[in-house]
Amino acid sequence: MYDKEFKFIFDYAQGKVDDIEIVLSATNSFQTRINQQEIESFNYSDAKGLGVRVIVEGKLGYSYTEKFDEESFKMVVDEAVENAKLNEDSDPAIMADYPAVAAELDLYSKELDKVDVEDKIQIAKDLEKYAKAADARVFNVPYAVYGDTKAYSKIANSKGLNKEEKQNSAFCYVGALSQQNDDKRVGIEFFIGRDFNKIDPKKLAEISVKKSTDLLGGKPVKSGKYPVVFNNEMMATMLGTFASVFYADSVHQGKSLLIGKMGQKIANEKVNIIDDALHPEGANSRHFDSEGYPSQKTVLIKSGKLNSYLHNTKTALKDKVNSTGNGSRGYKGSLGISVSNLILEPGKNKENELLATHDKVIEIVALQGMHAGANTISGDFSLSAEGFLYENGKRQHSLKQFTVSGNFLKILQNVEMIADNFHFNSSSIGTASVLIRELAISG
């Protein structure tokens, strides 16, 4: 697809650039939201754009257009050339005809495309209906949402690279608000995948309601230091919040707490963290990254030792290593780095074993304030949390909202046990529940 448009741009750029790369992205999205069994919002959206990246005398320049005509294509090339001349970044960049990965990923469902819109709306209605019916303490269902996306991407460069990929997926989520006296709590559950028939709105609704009602009747916690279990969802939230510490460009810019620690032990030996863009169940799986570099599985921490940063070709060239296939950019942006499917590998223990290891354990099942309360450069965090107090392995009661404070690197160092209940969150960050030896809790 779009071969004629790409050829026109390559032909026009000849003699003006040393190398040129073209990325094209086209998406079709649908989303509906239900309130009181009525459609509160109903949106179809289409977006398409094309971006170029050029190398002129060793310097990079970028430009993009959302108009697909010859004058616009000439304009983006000319603008990118001018931007390259003004670029003061002297770090070298390369383009190449990268090979394809051997793996064949299942990224597109023709059956999902055939789902009738009425069936999609019914999913959202059922999410709300079942949530309200699940428990008398539910007084509102602020989120009953279904959506799906179809995306096409193509990347080619003047070295002969020419790759394209098509993906689609569906998602839905339900949020239930419950109340007991003056205590109000929210629980949210989601689905993301390509098999529409696997969406079980009753089960999703009941899980979201249980998450909220279990937290009702919370008692204050005495401030102090406690062993803490982050459940699998909140451990994924923590890992995702601090994912940028693994980005090579963060290291180069002095914005990572992992500067100078390559090869060093930075975590408990039980900790293995990988980025796996080829994971069969990952929502962010893909055959190639935003430079067309082949996707791979990268071990970041192996048995507690820092094994690799995440690279695009530009940071890899600077560090004299190979790219890890984590180049990231939309057609409007410049080249950066992002995770694909980021995974803390599960352990062999059951979650109840983690909760019974100490006389008293606090289980954290909700976190708020990740942007304001977490410093991704120092690793320090102070976050509002919700959870439960366990004594000798038995849940005693829920807790009124409290604050948990610490440092991300020290969390990895103080891992005592990792459970076997691995779970991907909606951002494709996957972890199991993790027991941390000690964290500061303020009630």
Side-chain angles (χ1 to χ4, degrees):
M1 295 175 67
Y2 297 101
D3 291 340
K4 180 181 175 183
E5 290 84 351
F6 275 49
K7 183 178 186 305
F8 179 88
I9 295 171
F10 281 132
D11 289 346
Y12 181 73
Q14 276 192 350
K16 296 181 173 66
V17 302
D18 299 323
D19 273 309
I20 180 170
E21 173 192 88
I22 311 169
V23 296
L24 183 149
S25 171
T27 59
N28 308 102
S29 301
F30 167 78
Q31 183 169 311
T32 188
R33 180 171 175 163
I34 297 298
N35 182 25
Q36 303 293 337
Q37 291 299 291
E38 299 290 334
I39 296 173
E40 185 176 78
S41 65
F42 184 94
N43 297 310
Y44 280 109
S45 63
D46 297 320
K48 186 171 72 173
L50 179 150
V52 301
R53 182 171 66 126
V54 303
I55 300 177
V56 180
E57 297 179 354
K59 294 186 176 181
L60 283 170
Y62 295 86
S63 186
Y64 76 94
T65 181
E66 292 172 338
K67 294 181 179 178
F68 279 54
D69 57 60
E70 293 186 353
E71 288 306 310
S72 298
F73 294 155
K74 290 178 182 177
M75 180 201 70
V76 291
V77 173
D78 292 339
E79 282 188 354
V81 170
E82 289 303 311
N83 290 337
K85 292 176 182 176
L86 297 173
N87 190 354
E88 297 181 353
D89 182 359
S90 59
D91 289 340
I94 57 171
M95 296 177 188
D97 184 8
Y98 305 110
V101 293
E104 188 61 38
L105 301 172
D106 183 15
L107 303 177
Y108 195 86
S109 166
K110 293 181 180 177
E111 295 304 312
L112 181 58
D113 276 354
K114 298 175 184 174
V115 177
D116 191 89
V117 68
E118 293 296 331
D119 293 331
K120 299 176 183 181
I121 294 169
Q122 190 61 49
I123 288 289
K125 286 184 174 180
D126 287 347
L127 289 171
E128 185 191 51
K129 179 182 72 177
Y130 288 127
K132 287 186 173 180
D135 194 295
R137 292 170 292 179
V138 175
F139 69 97
N140 192 13
V141 181
Y143 308 112
V145 175
Y146 172 89
D148 51 46
T149 300
K150 182 165 59 177
Y152 168 82
S153 62
K154 180 182 176 76
I155 180 167
N157 66 32
S158 50
K159 295 295 189 184
L161 179 84
N162 188 1
K163 296 182 177 181
E164 59 184 353
E165 190 167 78
K166 191 165 65 170
Q167 297 196 20
N168 64 354
S169 64
F171 65 90
C172 62
Y173 57 94
V174 54
L177 267 170
S178 61
Q179 182 173 9
Q180 181 174 299
N181 300 321
D182 61 347
D183 196 4
K184 299 177 182 177
R185 304 294 183 116
V186 64
I188 297 175
E189 184 64 7
F190 74 95
F191 167 91
I192 184 167
R194 296 184 180 86
D195 190 345
F196 187 83
N197 293 320
K198 286 187 176 179
I199 300 176
D200 185 341
K202 187 171 188 290
K203 183 178 180 181
L204 294 170
E206 290 175 349
I207 292 173
S208 73
V209 170
K210 189 174 189 313
K211 284 181 176 180
S212 68
T213 55
D214 279 359
L215 285 166
L216 291 172
K219 299 178 181 179
V221 62
K222 184 179 179 181
S223 297
K225 293 187 175 180
Y226 293 83
V228 166
V229 169
F230 288 98
N231 74 358
N232 51 10
E233 292 181 78
M234 292 309 106
M235 193 62 206
T237 297
M238 292 296 292
L239 183 58
T241 298
F242 291 97
S244 63
V245 303
F246 296 106
Y247 296 178
D249 52 0
S250 295
V251 175
H252 295 165
Q253 295 163 14
K255 296 179 179 178
S256 169
L257 65 163
L258 300 184
I259 296 170
K261 297 187 184 300
M262 186 58 64
Q264 296 181 17
K265 186 177 180 183
I266 62 167
N268 185 281
E269 62 185 12
K270 297 182 178 70
V271 175
N272 296 289
I273 296 178
I274 62 174
D275 181 86
D276 187 0
L278 302 172
H279 197 290
E281 298 175 10
N284 292 335
S285 296
R286 46 179 167 66
H287 291 97
F288 52 87
D289 71 359
S290 297
E291 295 183 281
Y293 199 91
S295 293
Q296 65 178 52
K297 179 179 178 178
T298 302
V299 178
L300 300 172
I301 296 179
K302 183 176 178 59
S303 301
K305 286 187 178 180
L306 181 61
N307 186 68
S308 178
Y309 301 128
L310 294 174
H311 286 279
N312 55 36
T313 60
K314 194 164 182 282
T315 61
L317 196 62
K318 188 169 185 175
D319 284 0
K320 299 178 180 177
V321 297
N322 292 325
S323 171
T324 57
N326 290 90
S328 175
R329 78 177 180 108
Y331 66 84
K332 293 182 181 180
S334 56
L335 181 64
I337 293 172
S338 68
V339 297
S340 59
N341 307 301
L342 186 62
I343 293 166
L344 170 63
E345 289 189 336
K348 296 180 179 178
N349 298 97
K350 299 299 179 187
E351 188 179 38
N352 57 10
E353 294 180 69
L354 277 61
L355 296 165
T357 298
H358 297 275
D359 293 344
K360 288 187 178 181
V361 173
I362 288 178
E363 182 191 22
I364 292 178
V365 299
L367 290 166
Q368 293 94 34
M370 306 307 293
H371 294 294
N375 186 324
T376 56
I377 298 175
S378 68
D380 294 335
F381 62 86
S382 180
L383 303 168
S384 179
E386 295 177 88
F388 304 94
L389 175 66
Y390 281 77
E391 291 184 356
N392 300 312
K394 292 185 178 179
R395 181 187 287 185
Q396 299 301 304
H397 52 77
S398 66
L399 299 170
K400 286 187 178 293
Q401 204 164 58
F402 57 91
T403 300
V404 57
S405 304
N407 179 276
F408 178 66
L409 205 51
K410 288 183 179 176
I411 277 185
L412 297 183
Q413 292 164 353
N414 290 325
V415 167
E416 277 198 79
M417 297 173 77
I418 303 176
D420 60 357
N421 58 344
F422 181 82
H423 174 80
F424 271 120
N425 70 7
S426 58
S427 300
S428 212
I429 311 294
T431 78
S433 298
V434 177
L435 171 63
I436 309 300
R437 185 174 298 114
E438 186 178 85
L439 279 171
I441 300 293
S442 299

